[in-house]
Amino acid sequence: MDVEYLSQFNKRLFKKFLGVYVQQRRIQLELTTEQLSEITQLSEKEIKLIEVGRHQITHQIFDTLRVCLELDPNELINIGKITQVQNIMNLYKEIDEHYPR
């Protein structure tokens, strides 16, 4: 699964939604940020930044989280689709503001 493909339309929004999903999975698996940090070899600070959508998501980080938290590929695709739709809605809004009827 390619993080660049999933986040191509709006990286900021994708990171935010991915962070929420990562946090939900961590809680479902009853892991603390410290435990997830040990499993993923990421710092606790990085985990917390990912969960709030403020950390750069590289292919390596994405794959590590995907495997360690058993992230559902369908959910990841849905997150990508949501960001794509949001991008289209923002484009329509911008067009509407600049070219009123």
Side-chain angles (χ1 to χ4, degrees), residues 32-93:
T32 64
T33 53
E34 182 179 352
Q35 291 167 325
L36 185 57
S37 172
E38 290 173 14
I39 294 168
T40 60
Q41 299 301 306
L42 298 168
S43 70
E44 279 189 73
K45 181 179 179 179
E46 286 176 299
I47 299 294
K48 289 176 183 178
L49 287 173
I50 289 167
E51 289 184 351
V52 296
R54 301 191 69 206
H55 192 281
Q56 180 66 26
I57 304 296
T58 64
H59 289 288
Q60 183 178 357
I61 290 173
F62 180 73
D63 284 340
T64 300
L65 291 171
R66 188 175 54 80
V67 171
C68 293
L69 293 172
E70 301 172 359
L71 300 180
D72 182 354
N74 291 323
E75 284 297 318
L76 295 170
I77 290 169
N78 286 339
I79 291 170
K81 287 179 182 177
I82 290 168
T83 59
Q84 181 181 7
V85 169
Q86 185 64 48
N87 188 56
I88 291 168
M89 290 174 60
N90 289 342
L91 178 63
Y92 282 141
K93 181 180 176 184

